[in-house]
Amino acid sequence: MERIYADYLIETPYKVEKAAAVLAGEQSSGTFVAVPGETEELKKRFAARVENIELLELKDEPSIPGGSIPGKKYQQAHVRVSWSIENFGYNLPILISTLQGNLYEITQFTGLKLMNFDVPDSFANHFAGPRFGIKGSKASTQVEGRPMIGTILKPSVGMTPEETAAIVKVLVEAGIDFIKDDELMGSTANSLFDNRLKSIMKVIRDHQQKTSKKVMYACNISDEIDEMQRKYELIEQEEGSCAMISINSVGFSAAKKICDNGNLVIHGHRNGWGMLNRHPLLGIEFPAYQKIWRLAGIDQLHVNGIQNKFWESDDSVVKSIQSCLKPFVAGHELLPVVSSGQWGGQAFETYRRTQTTDLLYMAGGGILAHPMGAEAGVNAIQQAWKGAVDGLSLERTAQLYPEFAASVKKFSK
Amino acid sequence: MERIYADYLIETPYKVEKAAAVLAGEQSSGTFVAVPGETEELKKRFAARVENIELLELKDEPSIPGGSIPGKKYQQAHVRVSWSIENFGYNLPILISTLQGNLYEITQFTGLKLMNFDVPDSFANHFAGPRFGIKGSKASTQVEGRPMIGTILKPSVGMTPEETAAIVKVLVEAGIDFIKDDELMGSTANSLFDNRLKSIMKVIRDHQQKTSKKVMYACNISDEIDEMQRKYELIEQEEGSCAMISINSVGFSAAKKICDNGNLVIHGHRNGWGMLNRHPLLGIEFPAYQKIWRLAGIDQLHVNGIQNKFWESDDSVVKSIQSCLKPFVAGHELLPVVSSGQWGGQAFETYRRTQTTDLLYMAGGGILAHPMGAEAGVNAIQQAWKGAVDGLSLERTAQLYPEFAASVKKFSK
């Protein structure tokens, strides 16, 4: 029978074998005394199984509170656990409850992080995965041999639809591939969703008529289900190609429902991610997280960026990008959305470490605040990527291209 | 204009005023350079506002990694921030992204926890809240003057519908008020959802015919949206009164959609909660969390229990129970679901500290594993609660009631 495998980083003051057995028990039977009806045969068929244990460091202090024992040391370990697919079939919320669920509350652990999981190939028959992903996103915007270049409409709240559309006009004429709403932007008092969408899509359609290039607009439809569906259909009517959802805020089942419509590229914003990941011994790592959202059908997912303005290390960002690019059971590969304090200068390190241009490279202030104007801002980022792919240094690239040189002067710290 | 208020516990190596300003900035404009169009007038109307700062302890070490500065101390503080309702209207996913969102990733913080939030009364016009809550749950099961007594169907996976129904028969005849599926139980290879529901509801209907008492069965419908809707309707057809969803696994927008059907009591299971809460300086506290789910319309929500088998302190459990009992903008009060290692012995401390019987008191092995049988198991818990409400001690209660005395002998540590 096919099995699901999950890899955890754990920490425990107990023997790791014993703590791992508690983990497996909690996620199959989970009560504090034996009850009638739980036969050995049933246990064998449905119980979680500890597949492997690899001991890591021994710590003097517990990583998270609630399970410490005076005088004890805390053993960190990688633990691999498996379940028969008979336990949940292809029900993802139940799988999520099994992979995560109560585990984080178990006293025997002073640290627990879901690092990764594997599902059988048969999942491909039940989940379409990303309908567009890298391939569809780049084809839709006619981008080849370089990352898609995108920007975020700012300020996130306050501007009228007309003011926003005027900025969009500047951006599309500057040659941008992609624009998106801020995650805080839904429908505000002076910028109702429908009005903003219509104003922006008119600019995009006009530009497409002139140039044949259709800029992708990730319009933030995050909301309750029926309202998201209504907004999705309005985007279709307006000939838009993309919708954005804050995946943690709307949740798995709603995101899946939206993706299942299948006509728009779905841009997944991971805001709230920090609470699931910032502590090294609590929560979930990105390689596991992105698989859940690929099964939902998300096409593009935020991965932060090299030298970002947030807390995350470059190593972690690189690992996230790599996990999106790997094939997974169903659909296209996931397009990594590189953002947070990006302006072009990070293209060199990003390319050096990932060797890919299959990215959506988001620059916020880096474009509209470019001293030579927005078109120069877009060009500067394209130049940076050309330099990076050609194997040039940042300095050499700046010597070749005045727009990028101006970016370096303004944005490098 | 009405405002939303949020209370955070933060920790920072910077001046708290400066860090709080970064928080407010990230959640209204959020880019690293000034951009055209962001006027002072717009800022004033839509920017987040720091309302209050209360300094707490100064720490030598950062609570979470990613923002430490060598030689610095780390100031903890309570910070109150507000936003105009004009920023998001009544869109809860956007509100969630605003209250939490990117905040956890900001380098200026070495700790950030959302402690609570307040919404204006006008939310009551847009969110029905819990349709049943405490009042409806107790009325439906004809329980007065004591907590509802419930149990979890175990083992969670492995038994056939017929085997489970046989256990349910024992439980309903024993006088139980409420039974629920385990959160890991959806539709398994040998217990398909529809079959299990039908087998169990037949037992419950038969019992109702004999006794006029309708036991509430929280059937785990956690799944994708359409399948949850189908299961919800099947429960209605089978004359069930309740459905259970794992709220973190299905997410806000799907949970709201299910609650909006309005015909069944919705039992909210918070599995996964530990990753959002176990660290004292990361994530969200229960008083804030339960408000989000009341706005979704959840009627019953897990709060762990006194002397539980998990890591959580009794103080934290008491605070959670109290927050459910407080009135909130719309709907009935939320029924706190007390569970995890409960058997009746904890009734005394639970009542002493909360002074309420508006609880759903869940005992797992404590009922079916009672040495005198399941009926004695249910009676023992009712006796414990009678003793607690009458102001008796555990010891005195055990002297009065042989069933409870047998529980004490078997389950007390």
Side-chain angles (χ1 to χ4, degrees):
Chain A
M1 189 55 61
E2 292 181 320
R3 296 184 79 79
I4 311 276
Y5 295 87
D7 296 307
Y8 298 95
L9 171 63
I10 62 139
E11 183 186 282
T12 179
Y14 298 88
K15 268 194 185 302
V16 172
E17 290 73 13
K18 190 181 154 194
V22 170
L23 187 164
E26 175 68 29
Q27 294 310 77
S28 54
S29 175
T31 184
F32 68 115
V33 287
V35 294
E38 188 162 32
T39 65
E40 281 309 309
E41 187 196 355
L42 282 183
K43 275 193 186 168
K44 200 171 170 189
R45 184 170 170 197
F46 292 100
R49 191 194 288 163
V50 179
E51 298 280 353
N52 192 47
I53 291 172
E54 180 198 345
L55 297 185
L56 304 169
E57 278 182 280
L58 201 59
K59 297 280 182 183
D60 291 330
E61 300 290 335
S63 291
I64 51 173
S68 62
I69 302 178
K72 284 270 190 180
K73 299 245 178 187
Y74 300 86
Q75 178 72 55
Q76 296 191 347
H78 282 303
V79 174
R80 190 169 175 81
V81 179
S82 74
W83 294 264
S84 167
I85 190 142
E86 288 197 304
N87 289 36
F88 19 69
Y90 300 92
N91 181 327
L92 247 282
I94 299 279
L95 178 59
I96 293 170
S97 290
T98 307
L99 292 175
Q100 306 190 122
N102 287 339
L103 292 178
Y104 302 99
E105 300 191 54
I106 296 177
T107 315
Q108 280 82 354
F109 297 107
T110 55
L112 188 137
K113 199 160 207 177
L114 175 62
M115 303 301 280
N116 210 336
F117 69 92
D118 291 311
V119 297
D121 291 342
S122 65
F123 267 60
N125 305 326
H126 297 266
F127 296 93
R131 273 82 168 174
F132 301 93
I134 292 170
K135 201 173 166 187
S137 298
K138 293 186 91 167
S140 170
T141 48
Q142 304 168 11
V143 171
E144 276 178 57
R146 62 168 176 84
M148 288 168 66
I149 312 290
T151 196
I152 304 152
L153 295 172
K154 297 275 183 182
S156 63
V157 285
M159 289 199 295
T160 63
E162 294 68 35
E163 287 168 337
T164 307
I167 290 180
V168 170
K169 189 158 188 290
V170 172
L171 289 165
V172 300
E173 287 175 357
I176 201 100
D177 304 310
F178 176 98
I179 51 176
K180 71 177 274 291
D181 285 332
D182 190 271
E183 74 275 14
L184 305 179
M185 187 66 191
S187 197
T188 66
N190 69 340
S191 183
L192 298 176
F193 179 91
D194 292 17
N195 297 346
R196 190 171 77 256
L197 171 66
K198 287 176 185 172
S199 300
I200 290 174
M201 282 312 303
K202 182 170 185 323
V203 174
I204 288 174
R205 286 194 308 269
D206 287 352
H207 183 71
Q208 186 185 5
Q209 277 211 319
K210 269 186 246 164
T211 64
S212 93
K213 181 180 175 89
K214 185 174 195 166
V215 172
M216 186 175 283
Y217 169 38
C219 186
N220 185 9
I221 64 169
S222 304
D223 207 324
E224 299 186 25
I225 284 273
D226 294 345
E227 196 50 18
M228 280 201 283
Q229 287 284 18
R230 188 191 72 76
K231 290 172 176 174
Y232 187 104
E233 284 159 25
L234 193 61
I235 294 172
E236 290 179 288
Q237 283 168 32
E238 291 291 320
E239 301 173 33
S241 55
C242 183
M244 160 176 159
I245 49 180
S246 290
I247 53 180
N248 297 314
S249 300
V250 307
F252 177 84
S253 297
K256 173 76 161 56
K257 176 76 179 167
I258 294 300
C259 292
D260 281 347
N261 290 305
N263 300 320
L264 299 177
V265 173
I266 302 297
H267 181 90
H269 198 291
R270 70 175 191 181
N271 63 82
W273 164 244
M275 73 194 291
L276 310 176
N277 175 262
R278 183 154 172 181
H279 196 283
L281 263 296
L282 182 65
I284 178 171
E285 284 285 290
F286 193 84
Y289 182 77
Q290 57 96 23
K291 283 184 180 172
I292 291 172
W293 296 105
R294 277 162 93 152
L295 289 168
I298 297 293
D299 294 291
Q300 309 178 340
L301 185 56
H302 282 241
V303 295
N304 211 334
I306 295 286
Q307 297 151 28
N308 61 77
K309 65 175 179 170
F310 292 134
W311 74 279
E312 193 178 356
S313 72
D314 287 356
D315 284 353
S316 174
V317 174
V318 168
K319 192 174 71 170
S320 296
I321 292 172
Q322 287 166 342
S323 69
C324 294
L325 302 178
K326 278 185 198 143
F328 186 50
V329 280
H332 292 288
E333 277 71 79
L334 187 58
L335 182 66
V337 182
V338 174
S339 77
S340 175
Q342 306 291 303
W343 56 274
Q346 295 101 326
F348 303 89
E349 182 69 0
T350 307
Y351 187 73
R352 186 184 73 77
R353 296 199 58 179
T354 64
Q355 295 289 311
T356 188
T357 56
D358 282 340
L359 303 169
L360 169 49
Y361 193 79
M362 300 291 296
I367 290 170
L368 284 180
H370 192 282
M372 296 160 71
E375 189 172 351
V378 173
N379 283 341
I381 295 169
Q382 291 193 4
Q383 290 159 358
W385 273 96
K386 179 152 178 29
V389 172
D390 290 346
L392 307 182
S393 66
L394 180 147
E395 293 72 20
R396 179 74 191 123
T397 305
Q399 284 167 1
L400 289 178
Y401 304 107
E403 292 90 345
F404 180 61
S407 286
V408 174
K409 201 170 164 203
K410 174 142 190 183
F411 301 118
S412 70
K413 286 160 203 159
Chain B
M1 190 54 61
E2 293 181 320
R3 296 184 78 80
I4 310 275
Y5 295 86
D7 296 307
Y8 298 94
L9 170 63
I10 63 139
E11 184 187 282
T12 179
Y14 297 87
K15 270 195 185 305
V16 172
E17 290 73 14
K18 191 182 155 193
V22 170
L23 186 164
E26 175 67 29
Q27 293 311 75
S28 55
S29 174
T31 184
F32 68 113
V33 285
V35 294
E38 189 164 31
T39 64
E40 282 309 308
E41 187 197 357
L42 283 181
K43 274 193 186 165
K44 201 169 171 192
R45 183 170 171 198
F46 292 100
R49 190 195 290 163
V50 179
E51 299 280 352
N52 192 46
I53 292 173
E54 180 197 347
L55 296 186
L56 304 168
E57 279 183 281
L58 201 60
K59 298 279 184 184
D60 291 332
E61 300 291 334
S63 291
I64 50 172
S68 63
I69 302 178
K72 283 270 190 181
K73 300 245 178 188
Y74 301 87
Q75 179 73 55
Q76 296 190 348
H78 282 304
V79 174
R80 189 167 175 83
V81 179
S82 74
W83 294 264
S84 167
I85 189 138
E86 288 197 304
N87 289 36
F88 19 69
Y90 300 92
N91 182 326
L92 246 285
I94 300 279
L95 177 59
I96 294 170
S97 290
T98 306
L99 292 175
Q100 307 191 126
N102 287 338
L103 292 179
Y104 303 100
E105 300 189 54
I106 296 177
T107 314
Q108 280 83 351
F109 297 106
T110 55
L112 189 136
K113 199 162 206 176
L114 176 62
M115 304 301 281
N116 209 335
F117 69 91
D118 292 310
V119 298
D121 292 342
S122 65
F123 268 59
N125 305 325
H126 296 266
F127 296 92
R131 272 82 167 173
F132 301 93
I134 291 170
K135 200 174 168 188
S137 298
K138 292 186 92 167
S140 170
T141 49
Q142 303 167 13
V143 171
E144 276 178 57
R146 62 169 176 82
M148 289 169 65
I149 312 290
T151 196
I152 304 152
L153 296 172
K154 297 276 183 180
S156 65
V157 287
M159 289 199 296
T160 63
E162 294 70 31
E163 288 167 336
T164 306
I167 290 180
V168 170
K169 190 159 187 292
V170 173
L171 288 165
V172 300
E173 288 174 356
I176 200 104
D177 305 310
F178 176 97
I179 52 175
K180 70 177 275 290
D181 286 332
D182 191 271
E183 76 274 14
L184 305 180
M185 187 67 191
S187 197
T188 66
N190 69 339
S191 184
L192 298 178
F193 179 91
D194 292 17
N195 297 346
R196 190 171 77 257
L197 171 66
K198 287 176 185 172
S199 301
I200 290 174
M201 282 312 303
K202 183 171 184 324
V203 174
I204 288 174
R205 285 194 309 268
D206 288 351
H207 183 72
Q208 186 185 6
Q209 278 211 317
K210 268 184 249 166
T211 65
S212 92
K213 182 181 172 88
K214 185 173 195 165
V215 172
M216 187 176 281
Y217 169 38
C219 185
N220 184 9
I221 65 169
S222 305
D223 207 327
E224 299 184 24
I225 285 273
D226 294 345
E227 193 52 17
M228 280 201 282
Q229 287 284 20
R230 187 190 73 76
K231 289 172 176 174
Y232 187 104
E233 285 160 23
L234 194 60
I235 294 172
E236 289 180 288
Q237 283 168 33
E238 292 291 320
E239 301 172 32
S241 55
C242 183
M244 160 177 158
I245 49 180
S246 290
I247 53 179
N248 298 315
S249 300
V250 308
F252 177 84
S253 297
K256 174 73 163 53
K257 176 77 178 167
I258 294 301
C259 293
D260 281 347
N261 290 304
N263 300 320
L264 300 177
V265 173
I266 302 298
H267 181 91
H269 198 293
R270 70 175 192 181
N271 64 81
W273 165 243
M275 72 194 293
L276 310 178
N277 176 261
R278 184 156 172 181
H279 196 284
L281 262 296
L282 183 65
I284 177 170
E285 283 286 289
F286 192 84
Y289 181 77
Q290 57 96 23
K291 284 184 179 172
I292 291 172
W293 296 105
R294 277 162 94 152
L295 289 168
I298 297 293
D299 294 291
Q300 310 178 339
L301 185 55
H302 282 241
V303 295
N304 211 335
I306 296 286
Q307 296 151 31
N308 62 76
K309 65 174 179 171
F310 292 134
W311 74 278
E312 192 177 356
S313 72
D314 287 356
D315 285 351
S316 174
V317 173
V318 168
K319 191 175 71 171
S320 296
I321 291 173
Q322 288 166 341
S323 69
C324 294
L325 302 179
K326 280 188 196 138
F328 186 51
V329 280
H332 292 287
E333 277 72 79
L334 188 59
L335 182 66
V337 182
V338 174
S339 77
S340 176
Q342 305 292 301
W343 58 274
Q346 295 100 327
F348 303 89
E349 180 70 0
T350 306
Y351 187 71
R352 186 184 74 75
R353 297 198 59 178
T354 64
Q355 294 289 310
T356 189
T357 56
D358 282 340
L359 303 169
L360 168 50
Y361 193 79
M362 300 290 299
I367 291 170
L368 284 179
H370 192 282
M372 297 160 72
E375 189 173 351
V378 172
N379 284 341
I381 295 169
Q382 292 192 5
Q383 291 159 358
W385 273 95
K386 179 153 178 28
V389 171
D390 290 345
L392 307 182
S393 66
L394 181 146
E395 294 71 20
R396 179 72 191 125
T397 306
Q399 283 167 0
L400 289 178
Y401 304 108
E403 293 89 345
F404 181 61
S407 284
V408 173
K409 200 169 163 201
K410 174 141 191 184
F411 302 119
S412 70
K413 284 160 204 156

